[in-house]
Amino acid sequence: MSSESKVNFGATARLRKWPSLGNQRREDRETYLVLEDTLDRCITAFMDKPQATRHLYQIHTAPQPPLVTEILSPEHIAELSRLREFL
């Protein structure tokens, strides 16, 4: 893998959660801060959440094209977690 595709897991990131009702996102509300730390710690905190509630979370960080976008979806976070040791 080229050095350009490396991800800076030490970058500042924020784990945010959607308010929910019946385990469904309340789209009429804003997300709130759960953790502000490194991308690595936010990914770890996300992966520690129960699988059934992960859809309520997202990570906000500075974009690192092409692999990291400004807002990471639960699916993207899980993939980064899985590939972390290779990136």
Side-chain angles (χ1 to χ4, degrees):
M1 201 167 257
S2 71
S3 62
E4 291 128 34
S5 64
K6 295 283 187 191
V7 173
N8 176 8
F9 288 98
T12 300
R14 291 161 307 286
L15 178 62
R16 301 191 64 86
K17 182 179 186 288
W18 284 93
S20 61
L21 182 63
N23 203 28
Q24 297 300 311
R25 284 183 178 189
R26 294 284 311 265
E27 299 286 347
D28 61 329
R29 306 285 170 89
E30 296 292 319
T31 61
Y32 60 88
L33 184 65
V34 175
L35 175 67
E36 184 167 1
D37 206 322
T38 63
L39 179 57
D40 187 60
R41 296 264 305 132
C42 287
I43 290 171
T44 298
F46 170 84
M47 295 305 292
D48 287 344
K49 303 293 179 200
Q51 174 72 31
T53 64
R54 288 183 188 163
H55 66 284
L56 300 172
Y57 294 86
Q58 54 189 206
I59 292 177
H60 296 234
T61 191
Q64 298 181 49
L67 300 175
V68 177
T69 56
E70 185 177 3
I71 299 175
L72 301 172
S73 68
E75 298 79 18
H76 196 160
I77 300 166
E79 186 69 9
L80 280 174
S81 176
R82 189 177 71 78
L83 297 173
R84 196 173 355 191
E85 66 186 79
F86 302 108
L87 299 174

